[in-house]
Amino acid sequence: MSTNKAKVNKTMEVMNPPADSVDIYSAEFITEIKKHSASIRNELKKVEGAFNKIAFNLYWIYKNEGFKPLGYKNVYDFAKVEFGIAKGTCNGFINVVEKFGKRIDGKLTEEIDDNFKDFKSSQLLLMTNLSDVDLQILSADMSVRDMKKKIKELTGKETEATEKEAEQAEATPEPVDVEAVEVNRQTL
């Protein structure tokens, strides 16, 4: 048992080294920074994948009225009660699939169209109401803030409905999980 405690303490030392004992220019410290940065990049890829999986699964339930046999009157009530997903977020997921879902011979696949696969979920949420012509002006390397400005220029109006969804997706990598935690906290 003391061996496990020693491992935990050693891990905590590595994760939280005292500021005065770290040489920020040492090769070991730079290696640690790169390791943690790679881990963050890897987890962010998982978040985007989770967004797509949630979106396509909710879309399937929406299109096939899978909420009805479970006693819900619509997909929004289903998503709220079952997963803590707000109506606007659920609508955002469905809109992303409808607008950017890849289709082969008219049938929807469970992936984002190749033309939009490099866009982040927060960007896709902003772009759901744009025309195909306007979409060509935006690129995946644009920040959400820059996209909002460009969309305002293109459409002459704020992106109010989707702006809240995009901000939520950008601020919280997995908005569904955060909302579910909030619902669970309230019911406990």
Side-chain angles (χ1 to χ4, degrees):
M1 176 142 331
S2 62
T3 308
N4 287 342
K5 194 171 190 176
K7 285 183 181 177
V8 170
N9 289 338
K10 183 173 175 94
T11 302
M12 289 173 63
E13 287 176 25
V14 172
M15 291 295 294
N16 301 308
D20 60 345
S21 69
V22 175
D23 177 3
I24 62 170
Y25 300 106
S26 73
E28 292 147 358
F29 189 66
I30 299 298
T31 300
E32 281 296 310
I33 293 169
K34 289 180 181 179
K35 180 180 95 176
H36 289 283
S37 295
S39 179
I40 291 169
R41 281 186 195 90
N42 187 44
E43 295 305 314
L44 286 172
K45 288 178 189 174
K46 290 179 187 178
V47 168
E48 288 301 319
F51 177 92
N52 290 344
K53 286 179 183 178
I54 293 166
F56 281 98
N57 282 301
L58 275 174
Y59 183 81
W60 185 93
I61 290 168
Y62 165 71
K63 275 302 197 187
N64 292 289
E65 297 184 339
F67 49 86
K68 285 185 176 180
L70 300 177
Y72 296 99
K73 65 180 180 179
N74 58 50
V75 71
Y76 307 111
D77 292 344
F78 167 78
K80 182 67 176 173
V81 172
E82 295 293 325
F83 310 109
I85 299 173
K87 182 178 181 178
T89 303
C90 182
N91 193 52
F93 281 127
I94 291 168
N95 288 339
V96 165
V97 172
E98 286 180 337
K99 182 79 173 184
F100 304 111
K102 183 176 185 175
R103 288 169 172 76
I104 298 177
D105 296 329
K107 290 187 177 187
L108 188 66
T109 65
E110 289 196 15
E111 57 188 81
I112 298 295
D113 186 275
D114 293 339
N115 295 323
F116 301 99
K117 67 181 177 183
D118 294 332
F119 287 85
K120 294 180 178 89
S121 56
S122 55
Q123 293 170 315
L124 293 173
L125 285 166
L126 283 175
M127 299 170 14
T128 57
N129 294 322
L130 297 179
S131 70
D132 291 342
V133 172
D134 290 342
L135 288 173
Q136 294 175 5
I137 296 170
L138 303 175
S139 66
D141 61 345
M142 294 175 76
S143 70
V144 170
R145 178 175 284 143
D146 290 340
M147 281 186 146
K148 288 177 189 177
K149 288 178 187 175
K150 184 56 87 175
I151 291 169
K152 186 176 180 181
E153 289 173 21
L154 293 170
T155 63
K157 55 186 170 186
E158 297 286 337
T159 56
E160 283 181 36
T162 55
E163 184 173 329
K164 289 179 184 177
E165 296 163 1
E167 285 175 358
Q168 182 180 18
E170 187 174 69
T172 308
E174 293 187 30
V176 175
D177 290 340
V178 170
E179 291 175 12
V181 170
E182 287 298 318
V183 168
N184 290 340
R185 193 178 315 147
Q186 290 172 359
T187 58
L188 292 176

